[in-house]
Amino acid sequence: MTQEIATAQLEPTHLAAARRDEAIRLRDRGFLAGMGILGGSYVLLIVLMLLGDVIYMLKETVEKAWVSPQPWMALLAENPIVQALGKSEIRYAVMLSLLACSLSAIVSVWVGVPMGYLLSRVKFRGRGLVDAILDIPIVLPPLVVGLSLLILFQFWPFTASVDGRSINSLVVYQIPAVILAQVAVAAAFAVRTMKATFDQIDPRCEQVALALGCTRMQAFMRVVLPEARSGILTALTLAWARALGEFGPLLIFAGATRNKTEVLSTSVFLEMSIGNIEAAVAVSIIMLVAAVAVLMVTRLWGARRLSL
């Protein structure tokens, strides 16, 4: 021990500092490696799930092609995705999903922008309560959201008649119920995204506009809203993706009737319920492709807009 202390005292100062820096770098690498392993394990899980679907579909396609007299034609015509898209009910579900998700995302952003702005910039009585209420659709089980909507439409004014038919009968288990159920959940995510967006925008720019004579609305439209365009795009994308994946509220409030209220998420359930796993996996991959395409388009479009 005495010899080690004597040796250390003889080492040049810069050598000791270099060893200390190297030790710090090693500890930092270990810390980052641990963080990477913990975070990367979740990314790996997502990738493995997606690969599992793709491999299953490829396996089924190759097995059919192997026993077919025309293997190449079988690869093209008998793969699960082509067969799924060959069904009229699946094509209807694709079209209804695209339409309903787009409308739901637009409505969610239309609600999310003003509510996010109010929560971010305006101090009013009950703001904490409103903020907590907006978290309910996020934390509530999806089936409960659908059941709550179904119960709500059993009361006035939804039981009032319009041209001999009640609002209830025009909405529940109809296409409007699909959109309303999606909005009930997706709008909460849009509000949270827009509130975070407005929180990050410097309020001094808006205050300068007000000091120069702009009204509150003019300052919002000319100063705040252009600054929030990337957040709006994110909220739109998030709401669209969330609406695409909604299942519980749709099943309870809109039902899963073929060629009527069936969307892609309920198609997976219906195909699984009759034991058609191939079609269920194919529909899942169609949903995956649609979601990735929308994410890519919106992010590329958003990046171009932000670069202007």
Side-chain angles (χ1 to χ4, degrees):
M1 185 65 182
T2 305
Q3 184 179 0
E4 292 178 355
I5 295 174
T7 303
Q9 289 175 346
L10 292 175
E11 285 180 344
T13 305
H14 69 277
L15 184 58
R19 288 182 175 178
R20 186 172 59 252
D21 293 343
E22 181 63 23
I24 292 174
R25 279 196 293 271
L26 287 175
R27 285 197 295 270
D28 289 346
R29 288 174 185 172
F31 171 75
L32 293 176
M35 299 286 281
I37 291 172
L38 290 175
S41 59
Y42 180 60
V43 176
L44 181 63
L45 175 63
I46 296 174
V47 173
L48 289 177
M49 287 194 304
L50 300 179
L51 280 178
D53 290 343
V54 174
I55 292 173
Y56 179 84
M57 187 192 67
L58 291 176
K59 174 176 168 292
E60 295 295 325
T61 303
V62 171
E63 286 180 354
K64 289 181 179 177
W66 186 261
V67 298
S68 174
Q70 296 180 325
W72 292 109
M73 288 299 296
L75 284 175
L76 297 175
E78 297 184 12
N79 68 74
I81 291 181
V82 173
Q83 290 183 335
L85 290 176
K87 297 181 178 179
S88 61
E89 57 267 26
I90 299 297
R91 292 199 300 272
Y92 179 86
V94 171
M95 294 302 298
L96 180 58
S97 295
L98 294 176
L99 176 64
C101 291
S102 300
L103 289 175
S104 300
I106 293 172
V107 174
S108 298
V109 171
W110 191 257
V111 173
V113 169
M115 183 54 70
Y117 178 79
L118 290 174
L119 291 174
S120 175
R121 297 295 171 85
V122 182
K123 294 182 179 178
F124 56 91
R125 185 175 298 177
R127 188 174 69 166
L129 177 62
V130 173
D131 196 45
I133 290 174
L134 288 169
D135 283 336
I136 292 178
I138 298 175
V139 300
L140 210 60
L143 287 173
V144 177
V145 174
L147 181 61
S148 299
L149 284 171
L150 189 63
I151 297 299
L152 174 64
F153 273 75
Q154 305 305 313
F155 295 99
W156 187 90
F158 303 111
T159 53
S161 296
V162 176
D163 293 335
R165 296 187 62 186
S166 66
I167 299 175
N168 182 312
S169 64
L170 294 172
V171 174
V172 179
Y173 299 127
Q174 306 292 334
I175 290 178
V178 175
I179 300 171
L180 185 56
Q182 291 176 339
V183 170
V185 179
F189 290 88
V191 171
R192 285 287 161 235
T193 304
M194 292 312 306
K195 181 179 181 300
T197 299
F198 290 126
D199 286 341
Q200 295 175 358
I201 296 175
D202 191 350
R204 286 179 296 183
C205 298
E206 186 180 2
Q207 292 167 1
V208 170
L210 293 172
L212 292 176
C214 288
T215 63
R216 194 85 179 188
M217 182 177 179
Q218 289 172 332
F220 176 77
M221 297 298 292
R222 297 176 182 177
V223 177
V224 179
L225 206 55
E227 292 292 326
R229 58 188 178 188
S230 62
I232 294 173
L233 186 63
T234 303
L236 186 71
T237 307
L238 188 61
W240 194 95
R242 182 68 193 184
L244 180 67
E246 280 305 325
F247 170 71
L250 301 181
L251 188 64
I252 298 295
F253 188 51
T257 307
R258 292 282 197 191
N259 294 317
K260 186 179 180 182
T261 58
E262 180 187 4
V263 291
L264 287 175
S265 58
T266 51
S267 292
V268 175
F269 169 74
L270 291 174
E271 296 297 338
M272 286 292 294
S273 65
I274 59 175
N276 193 351
I277 300 177
E278 293 179 15
V281 175
V283 174
S284 301
I285 292 177
I286 293 172
M287 292 177 67
L288 172 66
V289 172
V292 170
V294 169
L295 288 174
M296 293 292 292
V297 169
T298 51
R299 293 199 175 197
L300 289 175
W301 182 79
R304 187 170 62 248
R305 291 280 299 171
L306 289 175
S307 64
L308 292 175

